[in-house]
Amino acid sequence: MALISESWPVAHVANAHARPGAPIGPRQLAVLNAEAFSDAWREITSWPGYAPTPLRRLDGLAAAAGVGRLWYKDESGRFGLGSFKALGGAYAVLRLLTGELSRRGHAGVTAADLLAGRHREAVAEITVTCATDGNHGRSVAWGAQQFGCRCIIYIHATVSEARRDAIARYGAEVIRVAGTYDDAVRQAARDAEAEGRFVVSDTSYPGYTEVPRDVMQGYTVMVEEALRQLPADEPPTHIFIQGGVGGLAAAVCAHFWLRTGGQRPRLVVVEPDQAACLFESARAGEPTVVQGGLDTIMAGLACGEVSLLAWEVLDEGADDFLTVPDGAAEECMRLLADGVGGDAPVVAGESAVAGLAGTLLALARPELAAALGLGPGSRVLLFGSEGDTDPELYARIVGRSAAAVRRAA
């Protein structure tokens, strides 16, 4: 019996620019590199409440799916924010604040200084802002609250009230605008320029790259944790990773490339079929904008424009691109919540399961599995990027609350 319906459509593009087996190049190192990673690791691991998130080995699901190993990096508990985004947005807020304070004559300010309330008046004069589908904005708002600056977050038309409220709980002003995520990005940038605010975005565009680079560098802390948690004698052969604007995928790709060189796993980027800007960019051979409403339950992946910095990594670092429908994501959420073959139940949000959906749908298609080199000997690593960041939607899809799932574990 199939784990999820095999009738769901899946599309595949092999990356013609990929460089499997090659060392990481200067193009990628200009975005993410070892020195910047060391700074992010040293800083984030010193924060109060830091702890590595678990790497779950799902042997029951692996056996049922027909692969050798299946690991799931569970980000649902990260700093109490429910997603990996806690690493990137808050770290970028800190980097921006310390840099701006230095320019204003307060040199050598540290995170400990800000957490202790030193330079409170100077910090309070700074306002950070961004657009979000939910999780990044929550991280930026949390970082602003922790370090003492003002925060204004823009959300677009389809962001749920639950996600809006989760951001507002950290003291941010939340502004809803018409249109898509990309429309909200542009509005946040326009208003920031007019009002003297500082944009802390997880996507880059011409003339705006420094902060998104810090955001992605924060994500590499999660990737390093996974590398340290994986068995040394069983390295992953494949990583199936969510798309969005590409920041997460680029961070995973670049850090594995740095640490494992030409032996890095095959990287497969998975996106919603209604918001597949990376897929279309790979097909076109250059960054390509996807138009339309970007209507998907995978809210964190509802992006129509590629982050240009992320593309600098993925253009040669990603091996394959897949698209999957919402229905497959919903089935994967339920699958993880139920547990398979003795696996403990896992709470996974809508955007967290895109990689799993891509894995299972590829395995159900022999030609696609062969094209991806996926089979019984494969060891697949997934990054579960969020928990129940919209509790009402999670309960509606899974049929019970996240708390009930956790009790069953």
Side-chain angles (χ1 to χ4, degrees), residues 63-365:
V67 293
R69 288 283 182 266
L70 191 61
W71 289 286
Y72 183 91
K73 180 68 167 161
D74 185 357
E75 289 293 297
S76 63
R78 180 70 72 181
F79 283 115
L81 271 70
S83 88
F84 80 104
K85 292 281 190 176
L87 296 167
Y91 179 63
V93 168
L94 173 64
R95 295 270 296 178
L96 186 148
L97 290 176
T98 55
E100 183 60 22
L101 288 171
S102 179
R103 284 186 284 273
R104 297 183 185 192
H106 304 274
V109 176
T110 66
D113 291 332
L114 299 182
L115 290 170
R118 303 184 189 102
H119 311 286
R120 182 180 290 110
E121 291 183 3
V123 177
E125 295 176 355
I126 299 172
T127 300
V128 296
T129 188
C130 72
T132 187
D133 289 307
N135 292 339
H136 176 69
R138 193 182 309 191
S139 176
V140 170
W142 175 67
Q145 184 184 70
Q146 294 289 304
F147 301 125
C149 65
R150 293 186 62 234
C151 182
I152 299 174
I153 303 294
Y154 290 74
I155 59 174
H156 57 278
T158 60
V159 173
S160 70
E161 281 299 303
R163 289 195 168 96
R164 192 210 76 83
D165 293 345
I167 296 167
R169 277 197 291 273
Y170 292 102
E173 178 184 350
V174 183
I175 298 173
R176 188 182 293 275
V177 300
T180 67
Y181 167 77
D182 302 298
D183 294 318
V185 168
R186 287 185 282 270
Q187 187 67 54
R190 284 194 297 268
D191 290 356
E193 184 175 2
E195 301 294 336
R197 302 168 188 159
F198 294 86
V199 177
V200 182
S201 177
D202 58 353
T203 191
S204 60
Y205 40 85
Y208 181 75
T209 58
E210 183 177 351
V211 172
R213 182 182 286 106
D214 288 338
V215 171
M216 287 192 291
Q217 201 68 72
Y219 299 161
T220 62
V221 170
M222 171 190 67
V223 188
E224 178 66 19
E225 289 176 2
L227 278 159
R228 296 184 183 195
Q229 292 165 323
L230 286 161
D233 59 346
E234 289 187 326
T237 60
H238 295 72
I239 299 173
F240 282 71
I241 187 69
Q242 293 84 294
V245 298
L248 169 61
V252 171
C253 178
H255 198 66
F256 263 91
W257 210 343
L258 275 170
R259 294 275 269 105
T260 63
Q263 301 302 310
R264 65 191 176 94
R266 184 171 192 146
L267 190 91
V268 183
V269 178
V270 186
E271 297 174 278
D273 56 8
Q274 297 302 305
C277 60
L278 295 167
F279 178 94
E280 294 300 337
S281 297
R283 183 150 64 180
E286 61 183 3
T288 300
V289 176
V290 172
Q291 305 291 346
L294 309 177
D295 186 17
T296 172
I297 63 163
M298 293 175 261
L301 310 181
C303 310
E305 297 185 30
V306 175
S307 170
L308 298 183
L309 273 181
W311 191 250
E312 287 298 292
V313 174
L314 297 175
D315 183 38
E316 296 177 334
D319 296 285
D320 301 272
F321 296 81
L322 299 179
T323 66
V324 299
D326 282 359
E330 292 176 346
E331 289 196 36
C332 285
M333 291 171 67
R334 292 190 285 268
L335 194 69
L336 289 174
D338 292 342
V340 174
D343 291 340
V346 175
V347 174
E350 313 86 69
S351 297
V353 296
L356 177 58
T359 303
L360 297 181
L361 291 177
L363 285 165
R365 293 160 171 77

